[in-house]
Amino acid sequence: MDYIMEILPALLDGAKTTLLVFVVTLVCSIPLGAIVAVGNISKIAPLKFILNIYIWIMRGTPLLLQLIFIYYGLPIIGVVFDRMDAVFIAFILNYAAYFAEIFRGGFLSIENGQYESAKVLGLTYGQTLRKIVLPQVVKRVLPAIGNEVINLVKDSSLVYILGIGDLLRAGKIAMSRDVTLIPLVLVAAIYLALTAILTLLFKQLEKRFSYYK
C-alpha cells in the first residue's frame, strides 16, 4: 500500500493528460462529425467527393500513423506543430471521420416523409434538422457513439509515441524503474474506472432519449 501511495500521484498526473486529450477530442470531433455527415448526405457532388476521401483516409489508416505523419512528417514540408497540437489535430480528425459515418447512418435512417411533413409545415431545412431529425438521430446512434467514446479513452494511450506523459507512460516508467507490475495494474484499474463511468453515463442518456420509442 505504501508503494501504491508513492506512485499514485504520478499516475494521476498522467491521467490528467489522458483526460485532456479525451475531452478536447470529444468536444471537437462530435460536432465536426455531425457537420461532415450533413455535408455527406447533401446533393453537392464535389463536396461529397472531398468528404468521402477524407473519411476514407482517416478510417483506412491507423491513428498511430496519423500521429507520426502530422508530428514528424509534416515538418518536412514546413508545417510544424508542437506535441499537444499534433495530438489534438490527429485525434479530432480521426474521430470526426468515425462519428461522421455514425451520424450519416442515423440521418439515412430517418424516413423521407418526416422531411416532407416538415416542409409542409413551413420549416426550413435547418429547422427540420435541429427540431425534428437530430433528436431522433441522436437517440438511434447513441450506442455506436458510446462505443467510440470508450475506444477514445483507450486510444488516448497512443500519445506516448510523441513522448507525452500520459497515464500509460507514467505506468511504464514506474514499472521499468521499480521492476514490478503493480503500476500497470493500477493503470488498468484507472482505465476500467473511466470506461465504467462512461458506460453508466451513456446508459442514462439512452434512458433520457427513450421517449422516442
Side-chain angles (χ1 to χ4, degrees):
M1 184 58 67
D2 290 340
Y3 176 69
I4 290 174
M5 297 306 297
E6 179 184 340
I7 65 173
L8 194 57
L11 296 182
L12 293 178
D13 190 55
K16 292 178 183 178
T17 302
T18 297
L19 289 174
L20 177 63
V21 173
F22 171 78
V23 171
V24 172
T25 301
L26 197 62
V27 169
C28 297
S29 62
I30 288 183
L32 179 58
I35 293 171
V36 172
V38 171
N40 209 9
I41 63 174
S42 70
K43 297 180 180 179
I44 306 175
L47 177 62
K48 291 179 66 175
F49 176 77
I50 293 172
L51 293 178
N52 280 322
I53 292 295
Y54 155 68
I55 292 172
W56 173 59
I57 292 174
M58 291 295 106
R59 296 178 71 204
T61 57
L63 177 55
L64 181 59
L65 176 62
Q66 295 164 20
L67 282 166
I68 294 172
F69 177 79
I70 291 174
Y71 186 69
Y72 293 106
L74 290 182
I76 296 175
I77 59 174
V79 181
V80 180
F81 298 103
D82 65 31
R83 285 181 170 83
M84 287 306 298
D85 286 343
V87 166
F88 292 146
I89 291 170
F91 271 77
I92 291 170
L93 291 179
N94 181 276
Y95 271 84
Y98 282 93
F99 286 133
E101 284 298 276
I102 292 173
F103 279 115
R104 185 178 69 87
F107 283 124
L108 293 178
S109 70
I110 303 299
E111 299 80 5
N112 287 330
Q114 297 198 39
Y115 291 94
E116 296 169 359
S117 298
K119 189 175 182 180
V120 170
L121 292 173
L123 296 178
T124 65
Y125 183 68
Q127 291 173 327
T128 302
L129 287 178
R130 187 174 67 256
K131 297 181 178 180
I132 298 176
V133 176
L134 268 179
Q136 298 179 73
V137 169
V138 170
K139 166 66 176 68
R140 297 181 184 187
V141 303
L142 264 179
I145 288 180
N147 288 335
E148 288 301 321
V149 169
I150 290 174
N151 285 335
L152 174 57
V153 174
K154 295 178 290 185
D155 281 350
S156 63
S157 63
L158 293 176
V159 302
Y160 82 91
I161 195 67
L162 302 187
I164 295 175
D166 71 318
L167 174 59
L168 181 59
R169 189 168 188 266
K172 290 176 67 177
I173 290 173
M175 181 192 69
S176 300
R177 181 190 65 217
D178 304 323
V179 195
T180 174
L181 290 176
I182 292 177
L184 292 189
V185 173
L186 292 176
V187 169
I190 294 173
Y191 276 118
L192 287 171
L194 291 174
T195 56
I197 292 170
L198 291 170
T199 300
L200 292 174
L201 176 61
F202 273 91
K203 285 184 177 179
Q204 292 300 315
L205 286 174
E206 289 178 27
K207 289 181 180 178
R208 179 179 177 184
F209 283 90
S210 62
Y211 56 79
Y212 282 107
K213 290 183 179 179

